[in-house]
Structures are given as structure tokens and as C-alpha cells.
Amino acid sequence: HHPDLIMCLKLQGIGIGRLCEKCDGKCPICDSYIKPTKLVNICMDCNYGSSKEKCIICGEPGKSNAYYCKECVLLEKDRDGCPRILNIGSSRTDIFYDKKKFTFNG
């Protein structure tokens, strides 16, 4: 993933993670398409309201269930927490340019 994208990592609940057509078959942790093994569970906050049926990687409308790949299951990365991507990187960028816009040169 990109360094400015942060995963939720809260305690996983009973909600099932979804993926859009573009991200279908991709492991949410390592982006691998090989051997999808274990169904992805997401936390209650990420499974609430309008974000319930959205892709856990990009936020588009979800079409299929998300699965961890076999390697992430063997390395127990599936137990780290909710794998939903929180895109706070773009908001940090917007804050930086808003602050820069109000500084005066002179």
C-alpha cells in the first residue's frame, strides 16, 4: 500500500469485508492475488451505515467478499485487526496546502 494510507486495525467484529470489481481477489494486507483462504472480518465501526457495503481497499461499491491470502494467514497477519483502509493521507495533504495558502511571503 501507499505510505499515507492507514489501516483501521480495531478489533474485528462479525461484519464481512467487501471488495469492488477492480480490487476483486486481492488480499487486503499484501495485495496478492494468490490462494485466497480466509474470509475478512471488519470492525463494527467500518461495518456501519453507508460504508457497510463498500470496498475495504478503495471505497467503491463492494461486489464480492474479501479474503486473506494463505501466506498472510500462515504469518497470522489476519489477526492484526480490521484491514479497512482509512484514507487520511489526502486530508493531511489538503491541510498542508490550506496552511500554505494563508502564509504571507514578504
Side-chain angles (χ1 to χ4, degrees):
H1 296 297
H2 300 286
D4 65 338
L5 300 180
I6 297 175
M7 291 178 20
C8 174
L9 297 180
K10 292 181 185 174
L11 182 65
Q12 295 176 349
I14 59 171
I16 304 298
R18 307 282 290 168
L19 292 176
C20 64
E21 289 181 0
K22 183 179 73 170
C23 301
D24 189 20
K26 189 185 287 191
C27 175
I29 295 179
C30 67
D31 295 336
S32 170
Y33 288 98
I34 301 172
K35 295 184 183 177
T37 305
K38 185 179 175 191
L39 196 61
V40 172
N41 290 331
I42 57 176
C43 68
M44 297 307 257
D45 294 338
C46 294
N47 192 33
Y48 180 76
S50 62
S51 64
K52 183 176 184 178
E53 294 294 323
K54 291 190 177 179
C55 177
I56 61 173
I57 296 176
C58 66
E60 297 290 322
K63 302 289 183 194
S64 64
N65 290 340
Y67 289 89
Y68 293 110
C69 68
K70 187 171 183 175
E71 183 177 343
C72 287
V73 173
L74 289 174
L75 293 173
E76 297 186 352
K77 291 183 178 181
D78 61 324
R79 300 180 185 194
D80 288 344
C82 176
R84 186 177 187 95
I85 301 297
L86 304 174
N87 193 1
I88 63 170
S90 62
S91 64
R92 286 184 182 171
T93 305
D94 293 342
I95 290 170
F96 172 76
Y97 285 112
D98 283 342
K99 286 182 181 178
K100 190 174 182 179
K101 180 170 53 173
F102 292 114
T103 58
F104 296 102
N105 296 332

